[in-house]
mmCIF file of all heavy atoms in Angstrom:
data_model
loop_
_atom_site.group_PDB
_atom_site.id
_atom_site.type_symbol
_atom_site.label_atom_id
_atom_site.label_comp_id
_atom_site.label_asym_id
_atom_site.label_seq_id
_atom_site.Cartn_x
_atom_site.Cartn_y
_atom_site.Cartn_z
ATOM 1 N N HIS A 59 17.732 9.185 18.289
ATOM 2 C CA HIS A 59 17.494 10.625 18.347
ATOM 3 C C HIS A 59 16.091 10.876 17.816
ATOM 4 O O HIS A 59 15.489 10.015 17.171
ATOM 5 C CB HIS A 59 18.539 11.397 17.530
ATOM 6 C CG HIS A 59 18.417 11.190 16.053
ATOM 7 N ND1 HIS A 59 17.515 11.886 15.274
ATOM 8 C CD2 HIS A 59 19.070 10.349 15.228
ATOM 9 C CE1 HIS A 59 17.629 11.498 14.022
ATOM 10 N NE2 HIS A 59 18.559 10.554 13.962
ATOM 11 N N THR A 60 15.571 12.056 18.089
ATOM 12 C CA THR A 60 14.231 12.389 17.621
ATOM 13 C C THR A 60 14.240 13.658 16.767
ATOM 14 O O THR A 60 13.236 14.339 16.662
ATOM 15 C CB THR A 60 13.251 12.548 18.804
ATOM 16 O OG1 THR A 60 13.755 13.565 19.681
ATOM 17 C CG2 THR A 60 13.076 11.244 19.562
ATOM 18 N N PHE A 61 15.377 13.953 16.162
ATOM 19 C CA PHE A 61 15.446 15.103 15.251
ATOM 20 C C PHE A 61 14.556 14.806 14.047
ATOM 21 O O PHE A 61 14.542 13.691 13.536
ATOM 22 C CB PHE A 61 16.885 15.367 14.802
ATOM 23 C CG PHE A 61 17.806 15.699 15.940
ATOM 24 C CD1 PHE A 61 18.880 14.899 16.231
ATOM 25 C CD2 PHE A 61 17.570 16.807 16.745
ATOM 26 C CE1 PHE A 61 19.728 15.185 17.289
ATOM 27 C CE2 PHE A 61 18.407 17.106 17.805
ATOM 28 C CZ PHE A 61 19.478 16.300 18.077
ATOM 29 N N ARG A 62 13.796 15.789 13.602
ATOM 30 C CA ARG A 62 12.861 15.696 12.477
ATOM 31 C C ARG A 62 11.686 14.767 12.754
ATOM 32 O O ARG A 62 10.988 14.364 11.848
ATOM 33 C CB ARG A 62 13.567 15.265 11.186
ATOM 34 C CG ARG A 62 14.602 16.251 10.714
ATOM 35 C CD ARG A 62 15.166 15.896 9.387
ATOM 36 N NE ARG A 62 15.059 14.489 9.106
ATOM 37 C CZ ARG A 62 15.859 13.808 8.328
ATOM 38 N NH1 ARG A 62 16.830 14.402 7.726
ATOM 39 N NH2 ARG A 62 15.689 12.527 8.122
ATOM 40 N N MET A 63 11.467 14.414 13.998
ATOM 41 C CA MET A 63 10.299 13.607 14.330
ATOM 42 C C MET A 63 9.129 14.537 14.605
ATOM 43 O O MET A 63 9.314 15.666 15.038
ATOM 44 C CB MET A 63 10.573 12.704 15.528
ATOM 45 C CG MET A 63 11.644 11.707 15.197
ATOM 46 S SD MET A 63 11.516 10.092 15.932
ATOM 47 C CE MET A 63 9.854 9.711 15.972
ATOM 48 N N ARG A 64 7.917 14.033 14.388
ATOM 49 C CA ARG A 64 6.721 14.853 14.510
ATOM 50 C C ARG A 64 5.933 14.612 15.789
ATOM 51 O O ARG A 64 4.933 15.277 16.026
ATOM 52 C CB ARG A 64 5.809 14.582 13.312
ATOM 53 C CG ARG A 64 6.448 14.938 12.003
ATOM 54 C CD ARG A 64 5.535 14.585 10.856
ATOM 55 N NE ARG A 64 6.174 14.933 9.594
ATOM 56 C CZ ARG A 64 5.741 14.535 8.428
ATOM 57 N NH1 ARG A 64 4.653 13.793 8.341
ATOM 58 N NH2 ARG A 64 6.369 14.893 7.342
ATOM 59 N N PHE A 65 6.339 13.650 16.587
ATOM 60 C CA PHE A 65 5.583 13.313 17.793
ATOM 61 C C PHE A 65 6.531 12.736 18.842
ATOM 62 O O PHE A 65 7.587 12.206 18.504
ATOM 63 C CB PHE A 65 4.455 12.316 17.465
ATOM 64 C CG PHE A 65 4.939 11.036 16.841
ATOM 65 C CD1 PHE A 65 5.118 9.893 17.609
ATOM 66 C CD2 PHE A 65 5.206 10.956 15.479
ATOM 67 C CE1 PHE A 65 5.551 8.710 17.049
ATOM 68 C CE2 PHE A 65 5.638 9.767 14.900
ATOM 69 C CZ PHE A 65 5.812 8.646 15.691
ATOM 70 N N PRO A 66 6.166 12.825 20.131
ATOM 71 C CA PRO A 66 6.996 12.224 21.189
ATOM 72 C C PRO A 66 6.928 10.697 21.104
ATOM 73 O O PRO A 66 5.904 10.142 20.699
ATOM 74 C CB PRO A 66 6.360 12.710 22.488
ATOM 75 C CG PRO A 66 5.250 13.614 22.130
ATOM 76 C CD PRO A 66 5.027 13.539 20.659
ATOM 77 N N ILE A 67 8.030 10.068 21.489
ATOM 78 C CA ILE A 67 8.065 8.602 21.466
ATOM 79 C C ILE A 67 8.538 8.046 22.803
ATOM 80 O O ILE A 67 9.276 8.703 23.534
ATOM 81 C CB ILE A 67 8.980 8.055 20.343
ATOM 82 C CG1 ILE A 67 10.435 8.518 20.517
ATOM 83 C CG2 ILE A 67 8.422 8.417 18.974
ATOM 84 C CD1 ILE A 67 11.417 7.842 19.570
ATOM 85 N N ASP A 68 8.085 6.828 23.094
ATOM 86 C CA ASP A 68 8.649 6.039 24.181
ATOM 87 C C ASP A 68 9.794 5.230 23.586
ATOM 88 O O ASP A 68 9.679 4.708 22.469
ATOM 89 C CB ASP A 68 7.615 5.063 24.756
ATOM 90 C CG ASP A 68 6.590 5.740 25.645
ATOM 91 O OD1 ASP A 68 6.775 6.924 25.992
ATOM 92 O OD2 ASP A 68 5.591 5.078 25.985
ATOM 93 N N VAL A 69 10.873 5.113 24.332
ATOM 94 C CA VAL A 69 12.036 4.363 23.896
ATOM 95 C C VAL A 69 12.396 3.361 24.986
ATOM 96 O O VAL A 69 12.598 3.747 26.137
ATOM 97 C CB VAL A 69 13.244 5.297 23.636
ATOM 98 C CG1 VAL A 69 14.465 4.502 23.199
ATOM 99 C CG2 VAL A 69 12.887 6.367 22.611
ATOM 100 N N ALA A 70 12.452 2.082 24.622
ATOM 101 C CA ALA A 70 12.887 1.038 25.553
ATOM 102 C C ALA A 70 14.203 0.464 25.050
ATOM 103 O O ALA A 70 14.310 0.070 23.886
ATOM 104 C CB ALA A 70 11.840 -0.071 25.655
ATOM 105 N N TYR A 71 15.187 0.451 25.923
ATOM 106 C CA TYR A 71 16.490 -0.107 25.596
ATOM 107 C C TYR A 71 16.527 -1.539 26.116
ATOM 108 O O TYR A 71 16.236 -1.785 27.288
ATOM 109 C CB TYR A 71 17.594 0.718 26.252
ATOM 110 C CG TYR A 71 17.615 2.155 25.799
ATOM 111 C CD1 TYR A 71 16.850 3.125 26.446
ATOM 112 C CD2 TYR A 71 18.408 2.550 24.726
ATOM 113 C CE1 TYR A 71 16.872 4.442 26.027
ATOM 114 C CE2 TYR A 71 18.436 3.874 24.304
ATOM 115 C CZ TYR A 71 17.657 4.808 24.955
ATOM 116 O OH TYR A 71 17.674 6.116 24.538
ATOM 117 N N LEU A 72 16.893 -2.484 25.229
ATOM 118 C CA LEU A 72 16.906 -3.902 25.592
ATOM 119 C C LEU A 72 18.331 -4.436 25.592
ATOM 120 O O LEU A 72 19.132 -4.072 24.725
ATOM 121 C CB LEU A 72 16.091 -4.718 24.579
ATOM 122 C CG LEU A 72 14.678 -4.236 24.247
ATOM 123 C CD1 LEU A 72 14.070 -5.134 23.177
ATOM 124 C CD2 LEU A 72 13.822 -4.213 25.489
ATOM 125 N N ASP A 73 18.625 -5.329 26.531
ATOM 126 C CA ASP A 73 19.937 -5.969 26.525
ATOM 127 C C ASP A 73 19.914 -7.171 25.582
ATOM 128 O O ASP A 73 18.921 -7.418 24.896
ATOM 129 C CB ASP A 73 20.379 -6.337 27.944
ATOM 130 C CG ASP A 73 19.582 -7.471 28.582
ATOM 131 O OD1 ASP A 73 18.775 -8.145 27.899
ATOM 132 O OD2 ASP A 73 19.762 -7.687 29.803
ATOM 133 N N ARG A 74 20.990 -7.920 25.546
ATOM 134 C CA ARG A 74 21.098 -9.050 24.614
ATOM 135 C C ARG A 74 20.077 -10.149 24.885
ATOM 136 O O ARG A 74 19.777 -10.955 24.008
ATOM 137 C CB ARG A 74 22.507 -9.618 24.609
ATOM 138 C CG ARG A 74 22.895 -10.313 25.894
ATOM 139 C CD ARG A 74 24.326 -10.749 25.914
ATOM 140 N NE ARG A 74 25.131 -9.544 25.807
ATOM 141 C CZ ARG A 74 26.294 -9.477 25.189
ATOM 142 N NH1 ARG A 74 26.824 -10.520 24.663
ATOM 143 N NH2 ARG A 74 26.947 -8.336 25.130
ATOM 144 N N ASN A 75 19.512 -10.194 26.101
ATOM 145 C CA ASN A 75 18.504 -11.198 26.447
ATOM 146 C C ASN A 75 17.078 -10.663 26.301
ATOM 147 O O ASN A 75 16.138 -11.300 26.772
ATOM 148 C CB ASN A 75 18.729 -11.690 27.876
ATOM 149 C CG ASN A 75 20.065 -12.368 28.025
ATOM 150 O OD1 ASN A 75 20.447 -13.207 27.206
ATOM 151 N ND2 ASN A 75 20.819 -11.986 29.042
ATOM 152 N N LEU A 76 16.942 -9.482 25.696
ATOM 153 C CA LEU A 76 15.651 -8.830 25.469
ATOM 154 C C LEU A 76 14.970 -8.421 26.778
ATOM 155 O O LEU A 76 13.751 -8.409 26.886
ATOM 156 C CB LEU A 76 14.726 -9.686 24.605
ATOM 157 C CG LEU A 76 15.270 -10.076 23.227
ATOM 158 C CD1 LEU A 76 14.249 -10.903 22.466
ATOM 159 C CD2 LEU A 76 15.675 -8.851 22.440
ATOM 160 N N VAL A 77 15.789 -8.083 27.767
ATOM 161 C CA VAL A 77 15.290 -7.548 29.034
ATOM 162 C C VAL A 77 15.416 -6.025 28.971
ATOM 163 O O VAL A 77 16.454 -5.495 28.564
ATOM 164 C CB VAL A 77 16.082 -8.108 30.238
ATOM 165 C CG1 VAL A 77 15.647 -7.437 31.531
ATOM 166 C CG2 VAL A 77 15.910 -9.615 30.325
ATOM 167 N N VAL A 78 14.365 -5.325 29.370
ATOM 168 C CA VAL A 78 14.351 -3.864 29.334
ATOM 169 C C VAL A 78 15.292 -3.328 30.417
ATOM 170 O O VAL A 78 15.143 -3.656 31.592
ATOM 171 C CB VAL A 78 12.922 -3.328 29.551
ATOM 172 C CG1 VAL A 78 12.919 -1.807 29.582
ATOM 173 C CG2 VAL A 78 11.968 -3.860 28.486
ATOM 174 N N ILE A 79 16.247 -2.491 29.982
ATOM 175 C CA ILE A 79 17.191 -1.916 30.943
ATOM 176 C C ILE A 79 16.911 -0.435 31.191
ATOM 177 O O ILE A 79 17.408 0.124 32.163
ATOM 178 C CB ILE A 79 18.658 -2.134 30.520
ATOM 179 C CG1 ILE A 79 18.937 -1.541 29.145
ATOM 180 C CG2 ILE A 79 18.991 -3.608 30.561
ATOM 181 C CD1 ILE A 79 20.397 -1.616 28.729
ATOM 182 N N ALA A 80 16.114 0.199 30.331
ATOM 183 C CA ALA A 80 15.728 1.602 30.538
ATOM 184 C C ALA A 80 14.549 1.920 29.629
ATOM 185 O O ALA A 80 14.425 1.356 28.551
ATOM 186 C CB ALA A 80 16.884 2.544 30.237
ATOM 187 N N VAL A 81 13.688 2.816 30.097
ATOM 188 C CA VAL A 81 12.562 3.317 29.294
ATOM 189 C C VAL A 81 12.536 4.829 29.457
ATOM 190 O O VAL A 81 12.616 5.336 30.577
ATOM 191 C CB VAL A 81 11.213 2.721 29.755
ATOM 192 C CG1 VAL A 81 10.070 3.282 28.922
ATOM 193 C CG2 VAL A 81 11.229 1.205 29.683
ATOM 194 N N ARG A 82 12.432 5.528 28.346
ATOM 195 C CA ARG A 82 12.384 6.989 28.356
ATOM 196 C C ARG A 82 11.317 7.466 27.381
ATOM 197 O O ARG A 82 11.084 6.834 26.363
ATOM 198 C CB ARG A 82 13.723 7.604 27.919
ATOM 199 C CG ARG A 82 14.889 7.265 28.814
ATOM 200 C CD ARG A 82 14.795 8.005 30.136
ATOM 201 N NE ARG A 82 15.906 7.699 31.004
ATOM 202 C CZ ARG A 82 15.886 6.791 31.963
ATOM 203 N NH1 ARG A 82 14.824 6.049 32.153
ATOM 204 N NH2 ARG A 82 16.920 6.600 32.743
ATOM 205 N N THR A 83 10.717 8.605 27.669
ATOM 206 C CA THR A 83 9.865 9.286 26.699
ATOM 207 C C THR A 83 10.671 10.463 26.178
ATOM 208 O O THR A 83 11.231 11.232 26.962
ATOM 209 C CB THR A 83 8.551 9.771 27.345
ATOM 210 O OG1 THR A 83 7.838 8.631 27.839
ATOM 211 C CG2 THR A 83 7.681 10.493 26.317
ATOM 212 N N MET A 84 10.755 10.582 24.859
ATOM 213 C CA MET A 84 11.559 11.632 24.237
ATOM 214 C C MET A 84 10.693 12.532 23.373
ATOM 215 O O MET A 84 9.931 12.040 22.544
ATOM 216 C CB MET A 84 12.676 11.011 23.389
ATOM 217 C CG MET A 84 13.707 10.241 24.186
ATOM 218 S SD MET A 84 14.959 9.440 23.150
ATOM 219 C CE MET A 84 15.758 10.848 22.395
ATOM 220 N N LYS A 85 10.821 13.830 23.568
ATOM 221 C CA LYS A 85 10.150 14.809 22.726
ATOM 222 C C LYS A 85 10.932 14.944 21.414
ATOM 223 O O LYS A 85 12.126 14.620 21.361
ATOM 224 C CB LYS A 85 10.104 16.166 23.425
ATOM 225 C CG LYS A 85 9.287 16.170 24.684
ATOM 226 C CD LYS A 85 9.356 17.533 25.339
ATOM 227 C CE LYS A 85 8.578 17.539 26.647
ATOM 228 N NZ LYS A 85 8.665 18.826 27.330
ATOM 229 N N PRO A 86 10.279 15.452 20.363
ATOM 230 C CA PRO A 86 11.012 15.708 19.107
ATOM 231 C C PRO A 86 12.202 16.641 19.332
ATOM 232 O O PRO A 86 12.177 17.506 20.207
ATOM 233 C CB PRO A 86 9.949 16.367 18.214
ATOM 234 C CG PRO A 86 8.646 15.837 18.738
ATOM 235 C CD PRO A 86 8.843 15.735 20.229
ATOM 236 N N GLY A 87 13.260 16.437 18.546
ATOM 237 C CA GLY A 87 14.434 17.299 18.617
ATOM 238 C C GLY A 87 15.421 16.958 19.708
ATOM 239 O O GLY A 87 16.238 17.785 20.084
ATOM 240 N N ARG A 88 15.387 15.726 20.228
ATOM 241 C CA ARG A 88 16.282 15.326 21.319
ATOM 242 C C ARG A 88 17.280 14.252 20.848
ATOM 243 O O ARG A 88 17.033 13.519 19.903
ATOM 244 C CB ARG A 88 15.489 14.743 22.492
ATOM 245 C CG ARG A 88 14.455 15.678 23.081
ATOM 246 C CD ARG A 88 15.110 16.840 23.802
ATOM 247 N NE ARG A 88 14.184 17.543 24.674
ATOM 248 C CZ ARG A 88 13.538 18.645 24.332
ATOM 249 N NH1 ARG A 88 13.702 19.151 23.142
ATOM 250 N NH2 ARG A 88 12.735 19.248 25.185
ATOM 251 N N LEU A 89 18.390 14.161 21.571
ATOM 252 C CA LEU A 89 19.399 13.141 21.337
ATOM 253 C C LEU A 89 19.488 12.272 22.582
ATOM 254 O O LEU A 89 19.777 12.779 23.674
ATOM 255 C CB LEU A 89 20.764 13.792 21.050
ATOM 256 C CG LEU A 89 21.938 12.852 20.841
ATOM 257 C CD1 LEU A 89 21.710 11.992 19.604
ATOM 258 C CD2 LEU A 89 23.224 13.654 20.701
ATOM 259 N N GLY A 90 19.205 10.988 22.428
ATOM 260 C CA GLY A 90 19.266 10.070 23.561
ATOM 261 C C GLY A 90 20.692 9.627 23.829
ATOM 262 O O GLY A 90 21.480 9.450 22.899
ATOM 263 N N LEU A 91 21.027 9.462 25.086
ATOM 264 C CA LEU A 91 22.353 8.978 25.440
ATOM 265 C C LEU A 91 22.473 7.496 25.117
ATOM 266 O O LEU A 91 21.536 6.730 25.344
ATOM 267 C CB LEU A 91 22.611 9.184 26.935
ATOM 268 C CG LEU A 91 22.671 10.628 27.416
ATOM 269 C CD1 LEU A 91 22.781 10.661 28.940
ATOM 270 C CD2 LEU A 91 23.846 11.340 26.772
ATOM 271 N N PRO A 92 23.627 7.063 24.595
ATOM 272 C CA PRO A 92 23.818 5.628 24.343
ATOM 273 C C PRO A 92 23.796 4.848 25.654
ATOM 274 O O PRO A 92 24.262 5.333 26.687
ATOM 275 C CB PRO A 92 25.207 5.549 23.710
ATOM 276 C CG PRO A 92 25.526 6.942 23.273
ATOM 277 C CD PRO A 92 24.757 7.863 24.172
ATOM 278 N N ARG A 93 23.225 3.672 25.611
ATOM 279 C CA ARG A 93 23.204 2.760 26.760
ATOM 280 C C ARG A 93 24.209 1.651 26.468
ATOM 281 O O ARG A 93 24.043 0.889 25.515
ATOM 282 C CB ARG A 93 21.821 2.146 26.952
ATOM 283 C CG ARG A 93 20.713 3.156 27.103
ATOM 284 C CD ARG A 93 20.813 3.825 28.455
ATOM 285 N NE ARG A 93 19.893 4.964 28.495
ATOM 286 C CZ ARG A 93 19.521 5.551 29.583
ATOM 287 N NH1 ARG A 93 19.979 5.157 30.743
ATOM 288 N NH2 ARG A 93 18.707 6.578 29.542
ATOM 289 N N VAL A 94 25.239 1.566 27.283
ATOM 290 C CA VAL A 94 26.344 0.647 27.023
ATOM 291 C C VAL A 94 25.870 -0.801 26.888
ATOM 292 O O VAL A 94 26.312 -1.514 25.992
ATOM 293 C CB VAL A 94 27.422 0.767 28.125
ATOM 294 C CG1 VAL A 94 28.520 -0.242 27.910
ATOM 295 C CG2 VAL A 94 27.980 2.183 28.145
ATOM 296 N N ARG A 95 24.962 -1.240 27.744
ATOM 297 C CA ARG A 95 24.514 -2.649 27.708
ATOM 298 C C ARG A 95 23.414 -2.901 26.691
ATOM 299 O O ARG A 95 23.042 -4.040 26.463
ATOM 300 C CB ARG A 95 24.014 -3.060 29.094
ATOM 301 C CG ARG A 95 25.119 -3.125 30.133
ATOM 302 C CD ARG A 95 24.606 -3.674 31.445
ATOM 303 N NE ARG A 95 23.229 -4.119 31.364
ATOM 304 C CZ ARG A 95 22.333 -4.035 32.331
ATOM 305 N NH1 ARG A 95 22.677 -3.526 33.477
ATOM 306 N NH2 ARG A 95 21.108 -4.452 32.170
ATOM 307 N N ALA A 96 22.875 -1.848 26.087
ATOM 308 C CA ALA A 96 21.760 -2.022 25.149
ATOM 309 C C ALA A 96 22.244 -2.624 23.834
ATOM 310 O O ALA A 96 23.294 -2.251 23.312
ATOM 311 C CB ALA A 96 21.062 -0.699 24.897
ATOM 312 N N ARG A 97 21.464 -3.548 23.309
ATOM 313 C CA ARG A 97 21.739 -4.162 22.007
ATOM 314 C C ARG A 97 20.614 -3.892 21.015
ATOM 315 O O ARG A 97 20.795 -4.008 19.822
ATOM 316 C CB ARG A 97 21.923 -5.680 22.141
ATOM 317 C CG ARG A 97 23.090 -6.094 23.006
ATOM 318 C CD ARG A 97 24.417 -5.656 22.377
ATOM 319 N NE ARG A 97 25.537 -6.027 23.216
ATOM 320 C CZ ARG A 97 26.108 -5.215 24.101
ATOM 321 N NH1 ARG A 97 25.661 -3.993 24.274
ATOM 322 N NH2 ARG A 97 27.139 -5.601 24.813
#
Side-chain angles (χ1 to χ4, degrees):
H59 69 82
T60 58
F61 299 118
R62 297 186 335 207
M63 296 214 37
R64 298 177 180 167
F65 58 98
I67 61 171
D68 284 349
V69 179
Y71 299 88
L72 310 177
D73 70 10
R74 68 185 62 213
N75 298 313
L76 303 181
V77 174
V78 177
I79 58 175
V81 179
R82 298 288 180 264
T83 299
M84 295 177 64
K85 296 177 182 178
R88 302 291 196 263
L89 178 63
L91 295 174
R93 304 288 170 164
V94 176
R95 292 186 5 214
R97 298 295 179 265

